[in-house]
Amino acid sequence: MSLGGKSRAFALAMLVGASLAVPHVSFAQDSSAPATAAATAPNPNLPHVVILCTGGTIAGTGATSTTTVGYTAAKVGCDTLVDSVPELKKVANVTGEQVYQIASESITNDNWLKLSKRINELLKQDNVDGVVVTHGTDTIEETAYFLDLTVKSKKPVVIVGSMRPSTAISADGPINLYNAVIIAGSKEAVGKGVLVCLDDQINAGREVTKSNTSTTDTFRTPDLGFLGYMQDNKPHFYRTSTRLNTADTEFDVSNLTSLPQVDIVYAYGNYNSLALDAFVKAGAKGIVHAGPGDGSVGAQMVGPLQEARKAGVVVVRSARVGSGIIARNGEQPDDKYDWVASDNLNPQKARILLMLALTKTNDTKAIQDMFWKY
Ligand code: DAS
């Protein structure tokens, strides 16, 4: 571990301790207050980036500097997290807000609505150039797609996390946060949709998925690849997503206090309709079927899914395989059964789009069109 790294981990440990005593003055702990420039006079030559903290490993602490699993996520507060990377102040005027403090496997629809509404409030402010969201890695891909569909601005929104806790040797959080702030304040990232950047790789929020339980390069975009690199303090883009996002989407959550219930039925050999029947009985408005192969459906499940459709539940066929297009009328006669094909969205992302689609319509032709456009 380099001396710099050792001193950083030590500094963070000190900050974690100190932050309990002295609340940092330049961070709006109350996320309803307008973001103001940091306590020190803002540098007019630097962008103003607001860091919204939500928890996760990037805010996690371990018992020792070599603890990289079995640590506690969502422990370090936003101001301490930001203070532990003093280099941020060289690239942006940063202000931070603690929106919530959770391990992201526990995220809820209410968390998503609160975060999207806060980002939309901030990006309406002329003095805010971009937003970074620090987040647990487990559901970054879902939050990223939810925000890609509901943030009504072309300004950059970059979601960042880490695979090692903040107290670990070679913690990846500080460099990931530093890179995310640079991207969020950059002109190059404007209009590219919500982005996810860990391990120097810039991915599209719509396409990225967590592909490994523990490695720092876990975020991948299957088949299509990431959009570009972070290198030497600059984003280098080589492509952009072709799908509608952010300001070009039809979804508006500003007046929503809840989202329609959509559940995922995971398919496997010898499965049955117990889970599906329970979801429908509990009031699910949509079901995503995570089938093997090209979104295949076991013969024993076709009837129960048809019954769910007849009861008014919208059925979307996705696939558990992780990449590729779910062909409409491929493995199943979607036209005949009035089902929807998820295009290349994995089940957890298809659920996000179906939830938002159901805030607009129950019409399956209109919903299928949304799966082709977003
Ligand atoms: N439990 C994980 C989460 O909060 C920790 C992490 O990887 O961020 O998503």
Side-chain angles (χ1 to χ4, degrees), residues 54-60 71-74 102-106 135-140 161-164 210 213 219:
T54 73
T57 294
I58 193 167
Y71 52 81
T72 308
I102 60 167
S104 78
E105 63 270 26
S106 307
H135 195 289
T137 60
D138 287 359
T139 57
I140 274 189
S162 74
M163 293 303 289
R164 295 179 184 141
K210 184 173 181 180
T213 57
F219 283 95

Side-chain angles (χ1 to χ4, degrees), residues 232-253:
D232 194 24
N233 308 307
K234 271 180 53 198
H236 302 260
F237 286 97
Y238 296 84
R239 65 180 192 84
T240 187
S241 175
T242 59
R243 293 301 172 98
L244 294 179
N245 61 64
T246 59
D248 297 328
T249 75
E250 65 194 277
F251 306 110
D252 178 353
V253 298

Side-chain angles (χ1 to χ4, degrees), residues 4-212:
K6 189 176 289 182
S7 59
R8 186 187 298 282
F10 177 74
L12 185 88
M14 295 303 289
L15 281 168
V16 170
S19 69
L20 301 177
V22 183
H24 198 288
V25 292
S26 74
F27 294 84
Q29 292 303 327
D30 165 14
S31 65
S32 59
T36 53
T40 50
N43 177 336
N45 302 316
L46 293 178
H48 177 200
V49 172
V50 179
I51 300 173
L52 299 181
C53 299
T54 73
T57 294
I58 193 167
T61 56
T64 73
S65 63
T66 53
T67 305
T68 55
V69 291
Y71 52 81
T72 308
K75 295 293 282 182
V76 176
C78 204
D79 51 359
T80 305
L81 200 63
V82 175
D83 281 352
S84 71
V85 189
E87 294 85 352
L88 296 180
K89 293 178 175 56
K90 296 176 185 158
V91 296
N93 299 308
V94 292
T95 52
E97 294 177 15
Q98 191 80 50
V99 183
Y100 37 82
Q101 181 78 292
I102 60 167
S104 78
E105 63 270 26
S106 307
I107 202 159
T108 65
N109 291 350
D110 290 346
N111 293 140
W112 279 327
L113 287 169
K114 180 175 184 181
L115 184 59
S116 179
K117 289 174 181 176
R118 184 57 184 148
I119 292 172
N120 279 318
E121 281 170 3
L122 287 166
L123 293 182
K124 282 188 186 126
Q125 293 179 207
D126 290 340
N127 73 332
V128 175
D129 298 295
V131 166
V132 166
V133 177
T134 63
H135 195 289
T137 60
D138 287 359
T139 57
I140 274 189
E141 64 194 89
E142 297 173 60
T143 299
Y145 193 35
F146 184 82
L147 296 177
D148 200 51
L149 294 168
T150 59
V151 167
K152 311 306 280 183
S153 170
K154 290 293 184 189
K155 293 179 180 177
V157 174
V158 185
I159 308 189
V160 66
S162 74
M163 293 303 289
R164 295 179 184 141
S166 54
T167 46
I169 296 173
S170 302
D172 52 330
I175 187 65
N176 288 345
L177 179 56
Y178 175 73
N179 283 340
V181 167
I182 291 175
I183 299 168
S186 74
K187 302 253 180 296
E188 294 89 343
V190 172
K192 288 206 167 48
V194 171
L195 302 170
V196 174
C197 182
L198 283 82
D199 201 36
D200 299 339
Q201 299 174 8
I202 308 171
N203 283 283
R206 176 189 185 275
E207 301 161 346
V208 72
T209 189
K210 184 173 181 180
S211 68
N212 181 284

